[in-house]
Amino acid sequence: MSDKHGEEDESKKAKMHLKANDLLCVNGCGFYGTPQWENRCSKCWRAHQNELKKSQDFAKNKSLLSFDQFQERRKSTTESKSRGIKNLFKTSPIPESGTSSPTSTSPSSTPTRRRDLSPDSLEARKQFSDFLVANLSTAMAQEIARSVKNAVNKISEMRLNSEDMSDLVISYYQYLGDRIGVHSYFNSPDCKVKVEDVMDQVEKYISTCCYSMFFCASHDEEVADMSLQDRIRSLHWVTAGFLETKLVFKKQNVRDKIDEAITELIEINAKKSAFEKLDCLTRSCKAIFEALKESESSTSADEFLPTLIYILFRGNPPLIQSNVKFISRFAVPARLMSGEAAYFFTNLSCALEFARNMNHESLQMEKAEFEAYTSGHMAPPLSVLNSACNQAMYVLEGTIETIVTVAKKAEDLVKNLTGVDKKSDDDLEKMLVLIKETVDIFPTDEYIQMKESIFAEEQETADLLVSLSRQSSESGRGTLSTSADNTQPSTPQPQLDPSFESPLAAVLKEAADSN
């Protein structure tokens, strides 16, 4: 019966076999792709979108214009768009020399229409300014600060949809990165940072200052997020056992790492920049790897992705879909194309795709059964799959084991204390004997004087007792002789008082008391 039940549990496990190569871009460029980009990387996705737009424009205008007219119009449109982007981010060239312009390094120094900044934006501006001052030459820091501040002000005045805004911001990243990338300063020994480090700070500042415009920009995205959160909540019964994770929940370290991963995943929504959101995701995924290592499990994609899905189901982080879109739209593209952050982001995108599309076939169970569990009308029966990862049970078991361990230690402690008492008595007795033997062998002057004084007192007492004994004996014989001579038979003898005590008895008693 148990074998049959075990086979049934095995058949209901989610089958996910994913290799690292499966996460790469379908175009074969070597970068990571994501499901929302049809498994393409950000670079290939934008190229694909541009091709689609060109094809749509050609199809739309082919019937209305001649080929020459269409070519001329497309060229005009492209040049107009290019001029718009250049004018949008137009700044003075970055000087090669170390001379600086009188403009302040802070991004707030660019003369423009005053706009109140949020506390987060003010903090981001301070961090950005401190970074520029600490790591770049004064001239370069001033020009980058001026360019970025101008870009933020222009973006704040625009009213574009999310995709167009993303294209605009990514174009600016590319534009600014190319400008500072060819600067000779980054090849000098005095340079402390790389171009990528500067661009990370630029992205952090821009996305923080424009967060209200970039994040969850449309009502439809917010509705989609709520729908996904409800969907994940309905899948609470899908435990780690169903997902074939190799986590060993009996270990406290594993449970702690799981809680850490969930906390970092939830923390993503509290950050305002794509840079910080990716850092939270990276810390969460590293905690998952630590949990797998503590469980002595493999850290391959086959093991990591199911565990990440389990963490996603457990944490159900708020607005996670909007956060993923925010990162994909406004992060520096290089961070999403290669490196550990890109690998973790691709896995998170796959986990969200799995959550959206998960159905009865994913767990190889009947549709009615799956829908009953999802709707809450039925609860899965207790089995190895849905109880093996129940942390409450393991916490209870751990508590019981702790109590048993403490009781055993208390019993051992009582035994040890009893042995210590007995040993201390024996040691005290041995110590007294040793002290006596030592004093007898190596007596001090004080000890010899005390011993002689006691001996003298004992001798005087003995002599006194002997003298008193003789006196008493002689006195007794004299009294008896006189009494015999004067005895009258008819005269009664006097009776001794019971309280009478002879001098000898008194001396003997006193000597006994003193001893």
Side-chain angles (χ1 to χ4, degrees):
M1 181 70 178
S2 60
D3 293 341
K4 180 179 179 182
H5 188 67
E7 292 177 1
E8 182 181 354
D9 289 342
E10 289 292 331
S11 66
K12 290 183 179 180
K13 290 183 178 180
K15 303 299 180 183
M16 289 177 292
H17 299 289
L18 192 64
K19 298 180 180 179
N21 291 336
D22 296 333
L23 303 176
L24 299 179
C25 177
V26 294
N27 287 356
C29 62
F31 298 120
Y32 288 111
T34 56
Q36 66 263 29
W37 291 332
E38 298 177 1
N39 295 324
R40 293 180 173 88
C41 67
S42 60
K43 183 178 180 180
C44 294
W45 170 252
R46 297 184 190 283
H48 174 67
Q49 291 297 101
N50 290 335
E51 290 297 326
L52 287 179
K53 288 180 180 179
K54 290 179 181 179
S55 300
Q56 292 171 357
D57 290 341
F58 180 79
K60 181 178 179 181
N61 293 281
K62 186 176 180 180
S63 58
L64 301 177
L65 303 171
S66 64
F67 181 77
D68 293 338
Q69 290 174 322
F70 172 71
Q71 287 288 90
E72 183 179 352
R73 180 173 177 177
R74 185 175 64 175
K75 181 179 179 182
S76 176
T77 302
T78 303
E79 291 176 351
S80 176
K81 183 177 180 180
S82 177
R83 285 195 303 270
I85 293 176
K86 289 181 179 179
N87 291 333
L88 177 64
F89 304 123
K90 186 176 181 180
T91 59
S92 58
I94 299 175
E96 289 286 345
S97 64
T99 58
S100 61
S101 63
T103 309
S104 170
T105 304
S106 172
S108 61
S109 62
T110 304
T112 183
R113 186 171 60 187
R114 184 174 182 81
R115 183 171 64 92
D116 293 334
L117 298 178
S118 66
D120 290 331
S121 298
L122 291 173
E123 179 63 24
R125 183 176 67 182
K126 180 180 181 302
Q127 292 179 3
F128 184 53
S129 298
D130 293 343
F131 173 84
L132 295 179
V133 170
N135 297 285
L136 300 178
S137 65
T138 304
M140 176 173 283
Q142 290 175 350
E143 294 304 323
I144 292 177
R146 183 185 297 112
S147 174
V148 173
K149 179 60 186 301
N150 179 67
V152 170
N153 290 333
K154 294 294 184 180
I155 290 172
S156 301
E157 296 172 358
M158 293 182 175
R159 295 296 178 265
L160 302 175
N161 60 45
S162 299
E163 296 302 327
D164 290 341
M165 184 66 76
S166 174
D167 291 340
L168 188 66
V169 173
I170 297 301
S171 297
Y172 176 69
Y173 291 158
Q174 185 66 39
Y175 161 75
L176 183 62
D178 291 344
R179 282 187 65 201
I180 65 177
V182 298
H183 200 282
S184 60
Y185 176 77
F186 287 96
N187 296 323
S188 67
D190 296 333
C191 183
K192 304 176 183 178
V193 293
K194 300 178 181 179
V195 176
E196 292 79 7
D197 300 327
V198 177
M199 293 309 302
D200 285 340
Q201 294 299 319
V202 170
E203 176 265 301
K204 185 177 179 181
Y205 176 68
I206 291 178
S207 57
T208 300
C209 292
C210 303
Y211 188 75
S212 59
M213 298 178 59
F214 291 171
F215 185 79
C216 203
S218 67
H219 176 69
D220 293 340
E221 290 185 358
E222 186 175 354
V223 171
D225 258 312
M226 296 298 103
S227 176
L228 178 60
Q229 198 163 20
D230 291 340
R231 170 67 174 172
I232 294 176
R233 189 179 296 113
S234 69
L235 297 173
H236 65 91
W237 55 273
V238 180
T239 58
F242 283 107
L243 298 171
E244 291 188 287
T245 66
K246 298 298 188 295
L247 296 173
V248 180
F249 290 89
K250 288 185 178 181
K251 295 184 177 181
Q252 182 63 44
N253 289 342
V254 174
R255 298 199 295 269
D256 291 342
K257 289 300 178 181
I258 289 173
D259 292 339
E260 181 182 342
I262 293 173
T263 301
E264 291 292 347
L265 199 63
I266 294 174
E267 187 70 13
I268 291 176
N269 192 57
K271 303 302 180 181
K272 296 296 180 68
S273 70
F275 180 88
E276 293 173 318
K277 291 178 186 292
L278 281 173
D279 277 352
C280 286
L281 176 60
T282 299
R283 290 193 295 270
S284 176
C285 292
K286 286 184 176 180
I288 292 175
F289 276 117
E290 290 295 328
L292 290 172
K293 289 180 181 178
E294 289 287 341
S295 303
E296 298 179 358
S297 173
S298 170
T299 55
S300 64
D302 280 344
E303 300 297 337
F304 173 71
L305 181 58
T307 308
L308 178 59
I309 293 173
Y310 169 69
I311 297 299
L312 177 66
F313 285 2
R314 278 287 312 280
N316 197 4
L319 303 177
I320 186 63
Q321 188 168 243
S322 290
N323 280 286
V324 168
K325 288 184 177 180
F326 175 85
I327 293 172
S328 63
R329 288 169 178 167
F330 301 106
V332 174
R335 293 199 75 194
L336 302 182
M337 294 169 65
S338 61
E340 63 177 8
Y343 175 76
F344 296 147
F345 181 72
T346 300
N347 276 274
L348 178 60
S349 300
C350 294
L352 290 174
E353 191 72 13
F354 180 84
R356 281 191 291 264
N357 300 329
M358 185 178 179
N359 54 27
H360 63 285
E361 295 179 353
S362 303
L363 297 179
Q364 299 183 16
M365 63 172 56
E366 296 295 331
K367 182 177 180 180
E369 183 183 9
F370 178 86
E371 292 180 350
Y373 296 156
T374 303
S375 63
H377 295 155
M378 288 179 59
L382 289 177
S383 65
V384 175
L385 287 180
N386 58 22
S387 63
C389 59
N390 192 323
Q391 292 194 32
M393 294 176 61
Y394 286 121
V395 170
L396 181 59
E397 290 178 1
T399 303
I400 294 174
E401 291 177 0
T402 302
I403 293 174
V404 172
T405 302
V406 170
K408 188 176 184 307
K409 287 183 178 180
E411 182 181 354
D412 295 340
L413 182 61
V414 171
K415 292 180 180 179
N416 292 336
L417 289 175
T418 304
V420 168
D421 289 341
K422 185 176 184 304
K423 188 175 183 301
S424 62
D425 293 339
D426 295 341
D427 291 343
L428 179 61
E429 184 177 352
K430 292 178 181 179
M431 183 179 65
L432 293 175
V433 173
L434 182 61
I435 291 174
K436 186 177 183 304
E437 292 176 351
T438 304
V439 171
D440 290 341
I441 298 173
F442 306 102
T444 62
D445 294 340
E446 291 82 0
Y447 176 74
I448 294 174
Q449 293 176 0
M450 182 181 66
K451 189 174 182 180
E452 291 176 351
S453 175
I454 293 174
F455 180 77
E457 292 178 356
E458 290 178 349
Q459 187 65 39
E460 290 178 0
T461 303
D463 294 343
L464 179 62
L465 289 175
V466 171
S467 175
L468 290 174
S469 176
R470 290 176 179 176
Q471 292 178 3
S472 176
S473 176
E474 292 175 355
S475 176
R477 286 198 300 268
T479 302
L480 290 175
S481 176
T482 305
S483 299
D485 294 339
N486 300 321
T487 297
Q488 298 293 333
S490 60
T491 304
Q493 297 294 326
Q495 300 294 324
L496 293 175
D497 187 357
S499 61
F500 173 76
E501 187 175 29
S502 65
L504 179 60
V507 171
L508 292 173
K509 182 179 180 181
E510 182 178 358
D513 290 341
S514 64
N515 292 331

